[in-house]
Amino acid sequence: MSTSSDASPKGEVRRPSAIEVNSNLANEDDAAVLAGMGYKQELRRNFTMLEVGGIAFSIMGLLPSIASTLAYSIPAGPVGLVWGWFLASGFIFIVGLAMADLGSAMPTSGGLYYWTHYFSSPKYRNPLSFLVGYSNTLGLVGGLCSIDYGFSLMFLSVIVIARDGEWTPSNGTIYGVFLACVVCHGILCSTLSRVMGKLQTVFVVMNFILIAATIIALPVGAANHRNSASYIFTQTENLTTWPTGWAFMISWLSPIWTIGAFDACVHMSEEASNATRAVPWGIIMAIGSCWFFGFILVIVIAGCMSQDLSHILETPFGQPMAQIYFDAVGKNGTLGLMSLLMIVQFLMGISILVAASRQSWAFSRDGALPFSKFFRPISVRFGYIPLRTIWGCVFLAAVLGLLALIAPAAAQALFSLAVAGNNLAWGTPIFARVVWGAKKFKPGPFYTGRASVPIAWVAIVFLVFGIILSMFPVGGPNPTPESMNYTVVINMAIWLGALAYYFIDARKWFTGPKITVDTDVLSDEQKQAIRDEGLHVEGLEVHSSKDVEGGILGKNVMQ
């Protein structure tokens, strides 16, 4: 893969930039790349490459996420837990490579729907872009819901353990803790903007402290009853009514959900320094780290857990990982490890709310969200952040979280909502690029070269499979209302609702990403480049009739 120092494809000489930039926000090069996509710099670029990768890794929250999704992997036994993780993570890495190619070429906060619009055919670009924007926005908010719901269960499990299992929280109690967590995240994301990039390093360190503590504590605590290598790597179980092979595939939902926030790097594009490199490498580092360290963790868990899997899944603590800790290190050790697990889970929610708010802001910038004019302004007072979209995401999460009041199966839909919604949003721009936009794609500094198109097709097939997988009832066919997987209902309502909204009303005014760059500060050369693209921008007279494929500035403008 290419990582050359020349940011323009095929060695093109970059044009000198004349963009006037507020030095408090960004340097001229980053602002020029963004202006080349039609946007002016409005957010402060205070995230380094490591911090961009850190926010994705923090959202993934490796061990808390594995703990939150053991109900998917443990029913298939150690083989599902261990090899399901390894295989699914490998495919997710391929998806990350496909997205890294796009993220390096065109780094913008609304990347997924922007890329969809840019690469799609004129006939489909507007509805597809609209659909992807809504699917991604709601997928990220669904991710926030599932993370904070998982935190609620962990927090309450600590109380249950402390009371020796003699107390059971109601659905209302679970929702109350969830709501308090979401509101706390809104407050922290609103007030810590100036140090949010640095905090990602702290969050990553906390993740590794928890990983190290678990890798050491579980084998030591379970020294007298550790499982054999044969059990860890070859033992197959099936606690579902699906065929054993499909139970193994269901176990893939654990890594698919866990390693499911790498698009956060894309949404932080306009706050990243040297975004054409920071975004792709952030994606690769986050996925690669989770793949490697997650594989170690699931091996340790499989080696130290009880072979009575029903005992783990039906634990009175309400959290399978709590039972695994308890069996290995006893009550006091479990309270300590679960408290640390709970803290890291809480930090995950901060990071994903940051990413969700940036996607929502980018979508409102292009006028696609309801009340876009209200959500569009940037708060200078709070540090150049989209304050209103932060609280918009908090409100939406609070509403979606009401599913927790219905039944555990309904609450589980929050996990699959993030999987299905994001998979559609990730796969569509990749599909548009290889089907309609192959000639328009101009690589950035990161590029997988000749392997790029095969990688893209493998990613597309896997993402479609992930959507289908996320719709299946986990326990088996013929589900009851209590065991039904409501993802198909929720996601179809979102997707069909978005398309209905588009064809009934939005098609009259939504034309894709809007140009916000201030044409008054462009040089004559840059203005001429825009004219050559045939782009209709207020303040510039267009002399060319050249088709501009959706009104996006050419990739070489401002470069």
Side-chain angles (χ1 to χ4, degrees):
M1 62 189 67
S2 170
T3 56
S4 66
S5 60
D6 186 0
S8 297
K10 299 180 181 179
E12 289 184 20
V13 178
R14 292 183 60 178
R15 301 183 184 183
S17 172
I19 297 294
E20 294 180 7
V21 185
N22 181 341
S23 60
N24 290 324
L25 299 182
N27 62 44
E28 192 172 280
D29 287 341
D30 279 323
V33 170
L34 187 60
M37 289 177 281
Y39 295 128
K40 64 181 178 181
Q41 186 70 48
E42 298 181 70
L43 303 175
R44 179 181 284 132
R45 292 185 182 268
N46 54 3
F47 281 74
T48 66
M49 181 187 296
L50 288 176
E51 290 164 352
V52 169
I55 195 168
F57 187 80
S58 298
I59 295 171
M60 293 171 187
L62 187 56
L63 185 51
S65 294
I66 291 174
S68 295
T69 55
L70 285 175
Y72 295 121
S73 52
I74 284 183
V79 164
L81 182 62
V82 173
W83 294 116
W85 179 274
F86 184 82
L87 293 174
S89 298
F91 282 108
I92 296 166
F93 190 81
I94 292 174
V95 176
L97 288 173
M99 189 178 292
D101 275 345
L102 293 172
S104 180
M106 308 175 82
T108 175
S109 293
L112 300 174
Y113 74 85
Y114 182 101
W115 302 333
T116 299
H117 192 274
Y118 182 77
F119 290 116
S120 294
S121 71
K123 182 178 180 180
Y124 301 113
R125 64 162 67 102
N126 287 345
L128 284 179
S129 176
F130 198 77
L131 174 62
V132 165
Y134 271 93
S135 188
N136 189 213
T137 300
L138 290 169
L140 286 167
V141 176
L144 171 63
C145 288
S146 56
I147 286 172
D148 286 1
Y149 179 76
F151 168 83
S152 179
L153 295 180
M154 290 177 187
F155 178 85
L156 293 169
S157 73
V158 171
I159 298 176
V160 174
I161 293 168
R163 295 187 177 185
D164 297 317
E166 296 180 357
W167 175 74
T168 302
S170 65
N171 288 342
T173 302
I174 294 172
Y175 179 75
V177 175
F178 164 85
L179 183 61
C181 179
V182 172
V183 172
C184 284
H185 285 150
I187 294 171
L188 293 173
C189 289
S190 300
T191 56
L192 298 178
S193 63
R194 290 175 175 82
V195 294
M196 191 58 71
K198 303 302 179 186
L199 283 177
Q200 301 312 311
T201 302
V202 177
F203 296 173
V204 170
V205 171
M206 288 292 293
N207 269 277
F208 279 110
I209 290 173
L210 176 60
I211 291 170
T214 299
I215 289 175
I216 294 170
L218 280 183
V220 171
N224 296 325
H225 53 272
R226 287 198 293 259
N227 298 315
S228 66
S230 175
Y231 178 83
I232 295 170
F233 295 107
T234 66
Q235 182 68 30
T236 300
E237 301 284 353
N238 185 4
L239 301 186
T240 75
T241 55
W242 291 113
T244 300
W246 192 247
F248 174 74
M249 300 312 301
I250 292 288
S251 73
W252 287 31
L253 284 173
S254 176
I256 288 173
W257 184 83
T258 299
I259 315 178
F262 47 88
D263 62 317
C265 299
V266 176
H267 302 310
M268 301 310 296
S269 294
E270 295 176 36
E271 295 173 76
S273 299
N274 196 10
T276 56
R277 288 179 172 79
V279 171
W281 282 111
I283 292 171
I284 298 306
M285 287 189 295
I287 298 176
S289 298
C290 279
W291 185 6
F292 176 74
F293 289 105
F295 189 54
I296 294 174
L297 276 171
V298 295
I299 290 173
V300 171
I301 292 171
C304 301
M305 68 183 183
S306 167
Q307 294 189 17
D308 184 355
L309 302 184
S310 296
H311 161 71
I312 297 174
L313 293 173
E314 298 169 5
T315 173
F317 302 143
Q319 228 292 336
M321 195 68 203
Q323 187 65 55
I324 293 171
Y325 280 145
F326 190 87
D327 293 340
V329 298
K331 178 179 176 179
N332 291 334
T334 301
L335 287 173
L337 288 168
M338 284 301 297
S339 296
L340 185 56
L341 192 74
M342 176 183 69
I343 292 170
V344 174
Q345 181 90 357
F346 182 84
L347 300 180
M348 291 166 59
I350 296 175
S351 297
I352 197 169
L353 180 54
V354 170
S357 65
R358 272 47 173 188
Q359 158 62 21
S360 303
W361 172 77
F363 210 34
S364 67
R365 175 176 60 182
D366 292 320
L369 285 181
F371 311 109
S372 285
K373 290 184 179 179
F374 172 79
F375 288 117
R376 170 71 177 81
I378 290 294
S379 173
V380 176
R381 179 181 179 184
F382 283 85
Y384 294 93
I385 60 170
L387 182 68
R388 295 180 180 181
T389 57
I390 289 175
W391 286 98
C393 291
V394 167
F395 175 78
L396 182 56
V399 173
L400 287 174
L402 291 171
L403 286 168
L405 295 174
I406 301 174
Q412 284 297 114
L414 296 173
F415 290 81
S416 298
L417 167 63
V419 171
N422 283 326
N423 275 23
L424 183 139
W426 299 338
T428 305
I430 298 172
F431 178 83
R433 179 218 147 181
V434 295
V435 173
W436 296 302
K439 294 182 179 179
K440 296 182 67 178
F441 177 71
K442 297 183 179 180
F446 179 99
Y447 181 46
T448 51
R450 292 182 179 179
S452 181
V453 172
I455 285 172
W457 279 114
V458 172
I460 291 165
V461 172
F462 176 73
L463 290 171
V464 171
F465 172 73
I467 292 174
I468 296 171
L469 188 65
S470 70
M471 304 289 182
F472 275 77
V474 175
N478 303 315
T480 64
E482 290 74 24
S483 62
M484 169 68 178
N485 184 344
Y486 290 91
T487 306
V488 64
V489 178
I490 296 173
N491 277 90
M492 292 309 296
I494 291 170
W495 295 335
L496 294 178
L499 289 175
Y501 179 32
Y502 174 81
F503 285 108
I504 292 172
D505 182 54
R507 64 182 176 83
K508 302 171 186 176
W509 45 264
F510 180 76
T511 57
K514 294 183 178 179
I515 305 305
T516 65
V517 69
D518 186 356
T519 58
D520 290 338
V521 301
L522 301 180
S523 68
D524 291 340
E525 182 185 24
Q526 290 162 343
K527 290 179 180 178
Q528 185 57 49
I530 293 175
R531 294 189 185 99
D532 290 343
E533 288 293 323
L535 182 63
H536 293 271
V537 182
E538 185 177 353
L540 288 183
E541 181 182 356
V542 180
H543 300 294
S544 172
S545 60
K546 179 181 177 181
D547 181 78
V548 295
E549 293 294 327
I552 308 298
L553 281 126
K555 276 294 294 163
N556 295 325
V557 180
M558 284 30 119
Q559 292 187 359

